[in-house]
Amino acid sequence: MRKTIYETNYDRLIKLGVIANDGAMPKPYSKSHTNGFMDLVLERVEHMDDVSGNSGIAFSMAHYFRQNGDLCKDPEMVVIVYPALQMVEALTFGQSLPPIYQAVFPEPGKFYPQLRKELNGFLRLWLNNLIDQGHGNNWVENNP
């Protein structure tokens, strides 16, 4: 049977070393460095673990650049991993320039189905690009 986008994105997170095979985050505050590309920064976002209505492990994935002394995200996504289901789902998308913030689950009990589909499709593309760029081979742990 063909895997869903949620399952294939889960597999890609394993390939990047973002999560272990059991869905645990071995490096909840870390960054991946690869030559010629922006670092990939991971940060655990515990307060969003249940935002979808299902319990999971939420974290932010982002690239940052500096402009006029400020850190700007380009982009940042908050995703949630459901280890028991071996699935991952996009929760938010944001970027600094131009300013964009989108949330699949804007409030308890409400979600945007079309945005859910779009953000999970973007996550698939981004994860493929990160793998192609060589991310996941050189992780540095950061302390929160």
Side-chain angles (χ1 to χ4, degrees):
M1 180 177 233
R2 188 173 173 182
K3 288 188 174 188
T4 67
I5 192 167
Y6 308 104
E7 294 166 323
T8 56
N9 284 346
Y10 183 92
D11 292 343
R12 288 177 175 104
L13 287 177
I14 291 171
K15 187 171 185 173
L16 281 167
V18 171
I19 59 173
N21 287 336
D22 64 0
M25 285 191 70
K27 304 164 196 71
Y29 300 95
S30 57
K31 67 179 173 179
S32 170
H33 176 76
T34 186
N35 289 330
F37 297 98
M38 297 168 76
D39 290 347
L40 175 65
V41 179
L42 300 180
E43 297 178 279
R44 190 69 171 85
V45 187
E46 292 91 352
H47 72 277
M48 293 186 77
D49 283 353
D50 300 321
V51 76
S52 69
N54 299 308
S55 184
I57 302 165
F59 60 92
S60 164
M61 300 174 50
H63 293 303
Y64 292 99
F65 67 92
R66 284 195 189 276
Q67 182 165 329
N68 300 324
D70 293 327
L71 280 177
C72 299
K73 54 190 172 199
D74 183 33
E76 179 205 33
M77 292 191 84
V78 174
V79 301
I80 188 165
V81 173
Y82 307 111
L85 301 173
Q86 296 188 333
M87 299 169 90
V88 64
E89 178 173 22
L91 297 177
T92 69
F93 173 89
Q95 69 181 31
S96 296
L97 298 172
I100 296 174
Y101 180 78
Q102 300 170 309
V104 174
F105 300 93
E107 59 188 62
K110 183 176 181 181
F111 80 98
Y112 297 119
Q114 184 60 35
L115 183 60
R116 180 188 232 176
K117 181 179 178 182
E118 289 170 14
L119 292 190
N120 283 290
F122 177 81
L123 179 60
R124 177 184 58 209
L125 176 65
W126 190 25
L127 293 173
N128 284 336
N129 288 343
L130 292 168
I131 291 166
D132 290 346
Q133 292 170 359
H135 278 288
N137 298 318
N138 186 16
W139 286 101
V140 178
E141 203 155 330
N142 292 335
N143 291 324

